[in-house]
Amino acid sequence: MGMMQEFREFAIKGNVMDLAVGVIIGGAFGKIVDSVVNDLIMPLVGLIFGKLDFSNLFVVLGSMPEGVPRTLDALKKAGVPVFAYGNFITVAVNFIILAFIIFMMVKQINRLKREAPPEPPAATPEDIMLLREIRDSLNRKD
């Protein structure tokens, strides 16, 4: 029972819950970045480089069976080994964009933290001020 209690305390800690939320949001954010890369950026890059489809850039490493279309999906389904460097290009562009977005977010957050003026000290409550005056007047009589 001790290990289960320990695990429960660990799982409920604030840091673990924050991490769980971060992972879930990160997964959703990753899907958004994938869409930006695959649906917006890669078509433009493909247009610039002669309408290339990076996802279908590959080199066949085995023998090409007859009747199998020369597409990456069809070759993979047929069990033909392929060197899919186009897919790597897409994933690398994804990573660069994601890293840049995170860098910009952290940079902005740090800038906002620096701009926040320090809070003025809280005003001393009136009863504390009265107690201090009494203390000071008692010390003067000695």
Side-chain angles (χ1 to χ4, degrees), residues 53-125:
D53 181 8
F54 285 108
S55 61
N56 277 320
L57 292 178
F58 58 88
V59 175
V60 178
L61 299 176
S63 60
M64 199 54 193
E66 290 193 30
V68 176
R70 191 168 171 84
T71 64
L72 185 59
D73 288 337
L75 290 170
K76 281 186 175 182
K77 285 179 185 171
V80 178
V82 289
F83 185 73
Y85 63 93
N87 193 34
F88 174 76
I89 292 171
T90 303
V91 171
V93 168
N94 258 357
F95 172 77
I96 291 168
I97 291 170
L98 184 60
F100 182 73
I101 290 171
I102 291 172
F103 166 74
M104 294 304 291
M105 287 171 50
V106 169
K107 185 176 177 179
Q108 183 67 20
I109 289 169
N110 287 339
R111 189 177 69 80
L112 291 174
K113 282 182 182 177
R114 280 192 302 262
E115 289 178 3
E119 292 184 21
T124 307

Side-chain angles (χ1 to χ4, degrees), residues 123-135:
T124 307
E126 189 175 339
D127 56 344
I128 300 294
M129 293 299 290
L130 289 172
L131 287 170
R132 286 181 184 167
E133 287 177 24
I134 294 169
R135 179 196 64 199

